[in-house]
Amino acid sequence: MFILYKVMMEILAPAGNLRILKIAIQAGCDAVYISGKNYGARKAAPNFSDGEMVEAIHYAHLRGKKIYVTINTIIFDNEFSELHEYLSFLSSHKVDAVIVQDLGVLSYIREHFPNLTIHASTQMNIHNERGAKTLLDLGVDRVILARETPISEIKKIINLGIEVEVFGHGALCYAYSGNCLMSYMIGGRSGNRGECAQPCRKKYQLLENNKPIGKMCSLLSMKDLNTLNYVEELEKLGVTSLKIEGRMKSASYVYTVVSTYKKALLKKTTIDAEDDLKVAFNRDFTKGYMFNEANHLVINTSSVNHQGLLIGKIKNISSSGCLLVVDKPLYVGDAIRIKGKEEIGFYINNLEKRGKDLYIPGRFKVKVGDDVYKTIDGVKTKEADNLLSEELYKLNLEFIISIYYGKELTLEIKYQNLKVIVKSILLNEKADKPLNEERIIEQLSKTGDKLFCASKIIVKYDHLAFVKISDINALRRIGIEKFIDTFIKEYSPNNSFINNHLANKNNEQVKKEQKIQFDFVVQNMEQYLWCKEHGYLSVFPVFDNDDTMYARHFNIQKNKALKNIVHNLGDMTPHQILSPTCNISNSYALKFADKTDADVIYLSNELSKNDKLALGKVTTNASKGVFIYGHMEVMTSKGCFISKLKNLNCINCGSCSHNNYKIIDEYDNEMFVNGRCNESGPEISIYSYKLFDELKNIKEYYKNGIDHFLIILTNETKEELGGLELKLEKYKG
């Protein structure tokens, strides 16, 4: 309704607190995404209290900016009452959109809060045209695409007419978003519940046929995304929003990245832009899967920490200090890290210029030739802090004041199509000496807030009435307060169009015969044949197969008519089996999934036994299932650390099909690894070192409406499979 300037492609900034939100807006972003104290995927960030969120919404809207609130975690049934109150609060305060992961939450919002705009979180793992089209038909306004989505697929999705948001800068998850259970498996800290302990930043040892390959290193740690050189291409393509990651990052980081990308969008990039981004934060940079980055350039196995910007080397050392030769600026207030055999880092408190070199007084454990990296820019930090004392935006208001004897003192304030009128005292005294109109204009110009500018002032004065300067000042203050209140009340986010193409499906429940069914996921042909030989017909190979398959992200299914196990909305077609990584964790999500005409819906692995039993009682056309035995799949990624460590930078190198792989963590826990390649590149799955065994609960699950049971095989021997067969024998038929 109130637009300050025409927005091109949106620059979307992160904010972990109110101060950083204000800095992001003053740095030039077009929208900010934030979280309340619950339901956000970054619980470790300070996040916003209800009062802070209201202030943030008002601050942004008055400056023509948008606020998106994350509800990007999975929700359990017992949380919907509290969630309802929170959604009501967000709706009443007119947030511009909510960012949603859980399909149940999406359904709930569409039913109870139809005017709330929904953005589908990257945690939904939408990576193709089909998934985006389904969301569009469900009334979702924007899809935040999976980071693995290539530019060719993004073009197709944009052509659907749905808003498209892509990650442009910041940290990358190793696993497909929403499909990572490693943190949950290790310590019960769920990434899908905002509690990720970042196991991907730990060190692991790769074993090939039980022999170590390379050293213990950061096998799963990704470089940071940087698409600064592709901003113009993304805008021309029709991308709606470019997202900057970092709700747990510093104010200086947010300021630097937002302002740098905004300049790039306005074609005002400076020559030191890349350097600024490196100093702000980087684990080395990659252009990412969106622009088909080579696999060996995506993973950073050497370090998980901020690298900074290489600015020079140690030239000389004395007992009183060290001499640096640098080719980049360095100032007092900056921080540096010196890397050699050892690393040290510190702020620069004292710096002397000696010719072309720089001298730092002090005693340091460094050596000649050690590299010097700049890790904090003191100037940028001060610039970020100073933004709060400035105001980038102006609301140009028109003031019309009426001063007539015998009438009330009146002020009319106009802005675009908004108009407010305030009145105060009755002017029933005549002036001995009327006020000068210039003095009246001067007083009205003192708005008391840099945001408001009295760009036009009209004085209607009969020069008879007596009026005090203090009365004019009070009227101005009251007028601006009423203007703000009216502005906020009349602000209206874009309304969604709701065209639920699934709404009329499956209205009639079809009674089906219930019997216990085992679905096997197998890693190799030997396991596949064993299952068939023992009468298990529902077998899904992870490897490519002309029969059934465990269809992963971007796998090209040769025969889409066949039944497969699928893992996200983009691969959901009728008569498929929905895997536990579809994150069906509440009755609303279960009912939604049932409308996709799935044959089997597996419940989330993150549910407790009692929660699974409760959902088992929900009436659905589809059968319901639970993971019952095996090593849980905890992480799947396009990043192939096998080829990275073996210096095999090509696709289809053959290593996966000819060797067996495991990774070992720092506590000597072994995790089975399945690697494979398909037409879209490599793919790696990691399985839990913990054996999950709930076979004893099969009958209880069955009595409560659950009749499908998922068994995942990894590297079991024939003897182990024989033992499993003995356990399963009593449940057959």
Side-chain angles (χ1 to χ4, degrees):
M1 181 177 174
F2 307 114
I3 302 174
L4 296 181
Y5 59 89
K6 183 180 179 182
V7 176
M8 304 157 75
M9 180 174 68
E10 178 183 86
I11 300 296
L12 176 57
N17 60 48
L18 186 58
R19 176 175 174 270
I20 292 179
L21 175 138
K22 292 179 179 180
I23 287 172
I25 289 174
Q26 294 300 327
C29 75
D30 304 297
V32 187
Y33 63 102
I34 64 176
S35 176
K37 297 297 184 180
N38 296 308
Y39 314 116
R42 291 290 182 271
K43 278 192 176 180
N47 294 319
F48 290 68
S49 66
D50 287 355
E52 289 170 334
M53 189 169 288
V54 172
E55 184 178 346
I57 293 167
H58 294 173
Y59 185 90
H61 287 172
L62 282 166
R63 289 157 180 81
K65 308 302 178 182
K66 295 184 177 182
I67 295 291
Y68 309 142
V69 177
T70 61
I71 307 179
N72 55 345
T73 59
I74 58 174
I75 306 293
F76 300 148
D77 270 339
N78 63 0
E79 296 173 317
F80 272 87
S81 176
E82 184 180 278
L83 176 65
H84 185 97
E85 291 183 14
Y86 185 54
L87 289 168
S88 180
F89 165 77
L90 296 178
S91 178
S92 66
H93 288 286
K94 301 180 180 179
V95 297
D96 296 278
V98 288
I99 302 171
V100 173
Q101 171 189 7
D102 192 311
L103 293 172
V105 174
L106 190 161
S107 298
Y108 189 87
I109 293 172
R110 288 272 65 70
E111 179 181 351
H112 296 279
F113 299 92
N115 290 326
L116 268 179
T117 297
I118 297 178
H119 294 177
S121 169
T122 191
Q123 291 291 105
M124 276 196 188
N125 203 240
I126 301 300
H127 62 275
N128 61 20
E129 201 174 359
R130 186 191 302 119
K133 179 64 167 63
T134 300
L135 290 173
L136 179 64
D137 290 342
L138 289 168
V140 171
D141 294 76
R142 178 184 297 187
V143 57
I144 307 169
L145 294 177
R147 296 167 176 90
E148 296 80 9
T149 314
I151 202 76
S152 56
E153 194 68 25
I154 293 174
K155 292 178 182 177
K156 297 176 186 176
I157 295 169
I158 289 171
N159 289 337
L160 293 173
I162 193 169
E163 290 186 4
V164 169
E165 181 179 312
V166 299
F167 276 83
H169 194 94
L172 290 170
C173 290
Y174 177 75
Y176 296 137
S177 294
N179 287 183
C180 181
L181 296 177
M182 187 176 278
S183 178
Y184 171 76
M185 177 273 296
I186 292 172
R189 293 177 57 180
S190 167
N192 283 317
R193 300 270 290 167
E195 300 167 338
C196 182
Q198 294 193 307
C200 54
R201 303 298 182 187
K202 302 293 185 182
K203 290 187 176 182
Y204 301 89
Q205 171 76 64
L206 176 64
L207 298 184
E208 181 182 77
N209 303 320
N210 292 318
K211 294 182 180 179
I213 299 291
K215 298 179 180 180
M216 199 96 171
C217 62
S218 308
L219 281 180
L220 315 179
S221 183
M222 302 287 279
K223 295 180 180 180
D224 284 353
L225 183 64
N226 179 348
T227 63
L228 185 66
N229 294 328
Y230 299 91
V231 168
E232 186 175 353
E233 179 179 345
L234 291 171
E235 188 193 15
K236 287 182 179 178
L237 189 66
V239 168
T240 305
S241 180
L242 185 140
K243 183 177 212 149
I244 296 165
E245 179 277 335
R247 281 192 288 132
M248 294 177 65
K249 297 278 180 43
S250 68
S252 178
Y253 166 89
V254 172
Y255 160 67
T256 301
V257 179
V258 167
S259 59
T260 300
Y261 273 83
K262 189 68 174 184
K263 288 174 184 175
L265 188 61
L266 297 173
K267 299 180 177 60
K268 296 179 180 179
T269 303
T270 58
I271 58 173
D272 56 355
E274 286 286 350
D275 288 353
D276 290 341
L277 293 176
K278 286 181 179 179
V279 176
F281 194 92
N282 82 91
R283 298 181 181 94
D284 289 341
F285 283 137
T286 173
K287 62 183 179 181
Y289 297 118
M290 182 163 54
F291 294 103
N292 300 311
E293 182 77 282
N295 182 73
H296 67 291
L297 297 177
V298 177
I299 301 173
N300 180 359
T301 58
S302 61
S303 176
V304 301
N305 298 318
H306 174 34
Q307 300 300 293
L309 171 69
L310 179 63
I311 62 170
K313 291 181 178 292
I314 301 296
K315 183 177 181 180
N316 197 5
I317 307 167
S318 69
S319 59
S320 59
C322 60
L323 193 66
L324 281 58
V325 54
V326 297
D327 57 10
K328 303 282 185 181
L330 183 66
Y331 304 104
V332 171
D334 293 344
I336 62 172
R337 181 180 293 126
I338 301 174
K339 295 182 183 180
K341 282 190 175 181
E342 297 182 16
E343 288 190 19
I344 63 168
F346 53 89
Y347 279 92
I348 303 294
N349 297 317
N350 196 350
L351 193 64
E352 301 174 14
K353 190 162 181 67
R354 296 191 175 178
K356 294 182 179 180
D357 302 328
L358 297 174
Y359 179 77
I360 305 176
R363 298 178 66 88
F364 307 103
K365 291 183 179 180
V366 297
K367 293 183 178 180
V368 172
D370 285 356
D371 290 328
V372 179
Y373 290 81
K374 183 174 176 179
T375 55
I376 294 177
D377 189 318
V379 173
K380 292 289 184 185
T381 301
K382 287 181 180 178
E383 287 178 359
D385 291 339
N386 290 338
L387 280 181
L388 296 185
S389 62
E390 301 171 358
E391 181 59 71
L392 180 65
Y393 304 97
K394 296 291 182 186
L395 288 180
N396 291 311
L397 308 179
E398 179 181 347
F399 286 1
I400 304 172
I401 189 167
S402 298
I403 308 171
Y404 292 107
Y405 175 70
K407 294 185 178 181
E408 291 175 299
L409 180 63
T410 303
L411 179 64
E412 182 179 345
I413 302 177
K414 293 182 178 180
Y415 174 73
Q416 294 185 5
N417 60 337
L418 177 64
K419 180 172 72 172
V420 299
I421 297 174
V422 290
K423 298 181 179 181
S424 62
I425 61 171
L426 179 66
L427 302 175
N428 54 9
E429 288 186 52
K430 290 187 177 181
D432 295 332
K433 186 178 180 182
L435 281 177
N436 187 295
E437 288 193 11
E438 284 73 19
R439 182 71 190 281
I440 297 172
I441 291 173
E442 179 185 351
Q443 294 307 120
L444 289 176
S445 298
K446 297 176 180 179
T447 59
D449 191 322
K450 293 180 181 179
L451 174 63
F452 303 111
C453 174
S455 59
K456 184 178 181 181
I457 299 175
I458 298 174
V459 178
K460 296 180 178 180
Y461 186 22
D462 62 5
H463 296 280
L464 293 176
F466 171 73
V467 61
K468 298 177 183 177
I469 292 296
S470 59
D471 292 332
I472 294 174
N473 291 340
L475 186 67
R476 183 200 63 230
R477 287 193 298 271
I478 295 169
I480 290 178
E481 287 172 2
K482 185 175 180 181
F483 172 82
I484 293 172
D485 289 342
T486 306
F487 186 108
I488 290 166
K489 287 176 183 176
E490 294 196 11
Y491 183 89
S492 177
N494 295 327
N495 288 326
S496 304
F497 290 99
I498 303 170
N499 179 24
N500 189 341
H501 80 304
L502 299 176
N504 296 318
K505 290 190 175 185
N506 295 329
N507 286 333
E508 296 182 5
Q509 299 296 329
V510 179
K511 190 174 182 180
K512 57 183 181 296
E513 182 183 357
Q514 185 185 6
K515 65 178 182 178
I516 290 175
Q517 170 75 57
F518 293 107
D519 296 317
F520 278 80
V521 173
V522 299
Q523 307 291 330
N524 54 54
M525 186 57 72
E526 185 178 46
Q527 293 173 346
Y528 181 81
L529 294 174
W530 181 91
C531 289
K532 295 291 186 180
E533 289 168 5
H534 287 79
Y536 300 107
L537 302 180
S538 186
V539 187
F540 300 89
V542 175
F543 56 90
D544 197 5
N545 184 273
D546 289 331
D547 187 5
T548 55
M549 66 188 296
Y550 191 62
R552 282 307 320 185
H553 207 192
F554 294 120
N555 273 25
I556 297 175
Q557 300 175 25
K558 294 181 179 179
N559 187 344
K560 293 192 174 97
L562 293 174
K563 184 180 292 186
N564 304 290
I565 298 183
V566 298
H567 305 265
N568 55 67
L569 194 63
D571 291 327
M572 288 183 187
T573 54
H575 308 300
Q576 302 299 329
I577 297 175
L578 309 188
S579 88
T581 52
C582 289
N583 295 322
I584 305 302
S585 57
N586 55 66
S587 55
Y588 293 94
L590 180 58
K591 291 173 183 177
F592 171 92
D594 196 38
K595 292 176 182 178
T596 67
D597 288 338
D599 284 350
V600 184
I601 302 168
Y602 272 97
L603 305 178
S604 167
N605 287 338
E606 299 188 55
L607 291 168
S608 68
K609 176 188 168 185
N610 287 338
D611 287 337
K612 292 174 186 175
L613 291 171
L615 288 180
K617 296 174 183 176
V618 176
T619 303
T620 56
N621 279 316
S623 294
K624 294 177 285 291
V626 295
F627 171 52
I628 202 73
Y629 181 89
H631 293 272
M632 185 190 301
E633 180 184 337
V634 294
M635 191 178 281
T636 298
S637 173
K638 281 182 68 66
C640 179
F641 51 75
I642 296 172
S643 62
K644 172 78 173 180
L645 259 61
K646 296 181 71 175
N647 294 315
L648 301 169
N649 301 326
C650 59
I651 297 175
N652 291 319
C653 66
S655 288
C656 301
S657 56
H658 297 107
N659 301 287
N660 295 315
Y661 291 98
K662 300 175 185 175
I663 60 172
I664 301 177
D665 67 14
E666 57 189 331
Y667 303 106
D668 292 327
N669 296 307
E670 292 188 358
M671 288 173 268
F672 177 79
V673 172
N674 176 282
R676 64 256 179 203
C677 289
N678 56 48
E679 291 87 340
S680 64
E683 196 168 64
I684 290 280
S685 288
I686 301 169
Y687 296 82
S688 169
Y689 56 79
K690 299 176 182 178
L691 177 66
F692 183 84
D693 184 353
E694 260 200 336
L695 293 173
K696 65 181 181 181
N697 296 324
I698 285 179
K699 288 185 178 179
E700 186 177 5
Y701 280 127
Y702 182 70
K703 288 178 181 178
N704 284 273
I706 294 170
D707 55 10
H708 274 248
F709 300 93
L710 183 64
I711 294 174
I712 297 179
L713 301 181
T714 50
N715 56 350
E716 285 81 1
T717 64
K718 282 189 175 182
E719 289 76 15
E720 289 171 322
L721 291 175
L724 176 62
E725 168 65 8
L726 290 175
K727 293 180 180 180
L728 297 179
E729 188 67 36
K730 58 184 174 182
Y731 301 111
K732 283 188 175 181

